[in-house]
Structure formats: structure tokens, C-alpha cells
Amino acid sequence: MLTPLAQLTRESMRAGLTRENLHGVWAAIGTPFDARERFDEEVFRENIRRLHAAGVHGIYTTDSDGEFYAIELDEFRHIVDVFADETQRIGAAAMVGVTWCNTEGVVARLRHAVDRGILGAHVGHPFFMPSTAASYRGFWEDISAAAPDGFGLVQYNTPRCHNYLRGPDYAVLQRDFPKLIGTKHVGVDFTEFMSVMADAPQISHLVGEGVMAPYLMFGGRGINSWFTNFNPRFVLDLYNDVVAGRWDSARQRQKRLHAFIGAIDVLQETGNLHGIIGKAVTEASPFLISTPTTRRPYQPVVREAVERFRRIVEEQFQDLQWPGRG
């Protein structure tokens, strides 16, 4: 049985991530690039420090918000080197995304994370085309074999891809692969989530901010959050409301977050997603050092849309703005 959230602290995960202790608010830190599209190590380190000082339970990089799709293996290794060095120096729980389009690429990334002392990895299925059941089974056998005992695997599950998993799939993975400690559950179908919780209650399911309060009420263990780059205190306050059973407060915070997510449409009107949107949202807050540059062919949100969004935030979401405190 999982430890109740009220009994867990962010310190409980520092020695290692398990099905029992994986929980809380995990910040999806973006990958900063300078004007010449080079990785900006100093900005990255500073933003890691700011997130940890704000109180998030853990930090992860090189998932969708970290623009993993624009980072080749050699640079991935450098980013993870910096990430591991800084998170270990300040005592922050850390995971990295290792998703790639073939098993060899996933394993190479996972092994480097292990070598650098990272605690766990988000693992998405190779995503270009659907595979057979035997192929998926073989993938998890290979990934599990590459991960040492004590290293936590978190399955990155998004309905945007055709290899989306549901409750019965997780029942099998939960039973056969003990190194799988959790999921990054991106779906927003509540009935489906209830099935996941019923079929795979032994692993820790972390969700998104759009469904945070209701999903945590029914067994979710925490959140993988892009909003922490705008205002981590608000997400932590919402998480603490849920843990303490302050449902009226949680409901109000969730409604405000829902309204904010709706306002982001102004940034998506040209078709942008994920880390590109995240960078534009970060620009509207003084919390982190913002670096709007993205890598070709992916274009950043146009300046006019960013300024329009900034005005919307100032006019409609003063209560969600970063208050300038840890």
C-alpha cells in the first residue's frame, strides 16, 4: 500500500524513487537556448536553483517541455551532466525524460542518466508509428534490463501518441516490471483515469494541472507541472489544499487554473505546443529567467501574441502572478 501523501515530504525522495514515495509537485524545467540556439548552461542552473528554493518536490528535464525532440544524444548528455551536478549540489530530487524514436536511443539516454546519479526517468514509447503488442513487450523488457535496481521508471503516457496505455495495460506492466514506479498521466478522461487507478493501484500516477484537484482526490499522487515555471507557489498551495482536505480552497484554485489554461489559447493560435508554449508562458512571469528561443524548424510564439498574453495576465490573473517569495 502506498504511503499517505500527508506523511510524505520532498526529502523522502532524495535517496531514491519508489512506488511508495513518488509524489508531489514536479517542475518541468525548460531547456534554455541563447539567440544562436546554443544550450545556456548558466540560465539552466539558475532556474533549477529558483525552482528548488520555491519548494517544488522534484524537477525533471528533457520531456516535451524540455524540447527533447530538438536535442541530439551528445547534447543530451551535456544537459544531463549539468542537471545532475546542480540538482545534487542543492539536494533536489531529479528525473530526466529519455524518450526517443527507437530502443537504442532510449537506452543510451537512460544509461547516461543512471551514470550521472539521476533518480529516475520518464519513458515514452517510440512514437513515430504504432507497434505490435510483442514489440511493446520487448521494449519494456529492454528498458527494464537497462535500468539498475533502485532506478525508477515512469511511463510517459499521452493521448497525443498512438501508443497510449489504459488500465488493463498498466495492470500487466505493474505486475511484470517492478522497476516501473509510476506514470506521467496526460489524459483528461476521468472514467479512464478511474480505470487506471483500479487496475494499477500499486504504482504512483502523476497528472497534469488541468485535472489536478479531482484526480488527486481519487488517487493521483502528484503533478507534472509546466505552471511551476510561472508560479510554483500556486501549484504547491493547491497540492497542499488537496492533501489537507481543504476542498473549498482547492476547488477555487482549480477553477482559476482552468481559466488561465483557457487564456493560453492566444499563444496556440499559430499551432504551437508544449515547450514552445511553456517558454511563452514563462516570459509573462518574473519568476524564472526566460529564454524564448526554440530550435528550427520549431518557431517560438510570435512577439505580438506574447505581449497580448502578458496583458491578459496583468488584467485578469493578478491572483496567479508570482508573488516574489520562496
Side-chain angles (χ1 to χ4, degrees):
M1 180 177 293
L2 296 174
T3 300
L5 292 176
Q7 297 179 19
L8 292 171
T9 65
R10 66 175 182 171
E11 288 74 23
S12 68
M13 295 182 290
R14 286 181 180 173
L17 299 172
T18 67
R19 292 179 175 181
E20 183 73 12
N21 71 9
L22 176 60
H23 76 291
V25 175
W26 282 76
I29 191 171
T31 303
F33 301 119
D34 66 18
R36 295 173 60 185
E37 300 185 14
R38 301 171 302 186
F39 171 59
D40 194 322
E41 176 179 334
E42 292 310 311
V43 168
F44 193 54
R45 287 181 182 273
E46 175 61 21
N47 284 346
I48 291 169
R49 291 191 288 266
R50 293 187 187 187
L51 283 164
H52 182 65
V56 299
H57 295 82
I59 307 170
Y60 66 94
T61 187
T62 57
D63 259 2
S64 298
D65 282 287
E67 299 172 85
F68 78 92
Y69 46 80
I71 299 168
E72 300 297 338
L73 181 58
D74 285 349
E75 190 169 42
F76 171 90
R77 288 173 172 147
H78 176 53
I79 291 170
V80 171
D81 288 349
V82 174
F83 185 63
D85 179 68
E86 194 63 36
T87 54
Q88 290 163 16
R89 188 185 66 80
I90 62 178
M95 286 193 277
V96 300
V98 298
T99 302
W100 202 245
C101 54
N102 55 56
T103 300
E104 181 179 1
V106 174
V107 169
R109 287 161 175 77
L110 188 153
R111 285 178 172 160
H112 188 72
V114 170
D115 289 345
R116 288 312 315 269
I118 297 294
L119 301 177
H122 291 176
V123 183
H125 290 142
F127 48 83
F128 180 70
M129 62 182 182
S131 298
T132 65
S135 295
Y136 288 137
R137 177 78 185 188
F139 173 79
W140 278 103
E141 289 173 348
D142 291 339
I143 298 305
S144 185
D149 292 340
F151 186 85
L153 300 176
V154 173
Q155 200 270 326
Y156 184 177
N157 197 38
T158 172
R160 189 173 299 280
C161 296
H162 28 231
N163 42 31
Y164 189 63
L165 298 184
R166 291 175 170 82
D169 305 307
Y170 282 123
V172 174
L173 292 177
Q174 174 184 262
R175 180 194 67 215
D176 295 347
F177 298 99
K179 294 175 186 175
L180 177 68
I181 66 168
T183 71
K184 180 182 179 180
H185 185 88
V186 182
V188 294
D189 183 316
F190 183 71
T191 302
E192 177 184 277
F193 179 73
M194 291 293 286
S195 174
V196 168
M197 289 302 310
D199 292 332
Q202 297 174 18
I203 55 182
S204 178
H205 303 283
L206 273 63
V207 303
E209 39 264 290
V211 294
M212 182 177 173
Y215 279 29
L216 265 61
M217 181 188 294
F218 283 87
R221 301 275 288 173
I223 177 176
N224 296 291
S225 176
W226 52 264
F227 191 78
T228 47
N229 295 313
F230 183 86
N231 184 348
R233 276 294 357 143
F234 187 87
V235 185
L236 286 160
D237 288 343
L238 174 52
Y239 174 83
N240 290 331
D241 280 345
V242 173
V243 171
R246 296 187 292 264
W247 300 116
D248 287 343
S249 178
R251 180 168 57 252
Q252 291 304 313
R253 292 185 196 279
Q254 188 71 64
K255 288 173 65 176
R256 292 299 290 152
L257 194 50
H258 176 77
F260 185 91
I261 293 170
I264 289 175
D265 285 348
V266 69
L267 302 174
Q268 294 176 308
E269 60 188 16
T270 53
N272 290 314
L273 296 169
H274 295 309
I276 297 169
I277 295 295
K279 285 183 171 179
V281 171
T282 301
E283 283 192 83
S285 169
F287 172 54
L288 296 184
I289 301 173
S290 63
T291 53
T293 302
T294 56
R295 279 186 167 166
R296 298 174 185 174
Y298 310 104
Q299 298 295 315
V301 176
V302 297
R303 179 55 44 190
E304 293 82 0
V306 174
E307 292 306 319
R308 199 178 320 143
F309 178 69
R310 195 192 304 272
R311 289 194 296 272
I312 291 171
V313 169
E314 292 173 352
E315 294 169 2
Q316 302 179 23
F317 298 103
Q318 293 184 7
D319 57 318
L320 301 190
Q321 294 183 52
W322 171 244
R325 56 187 170 87

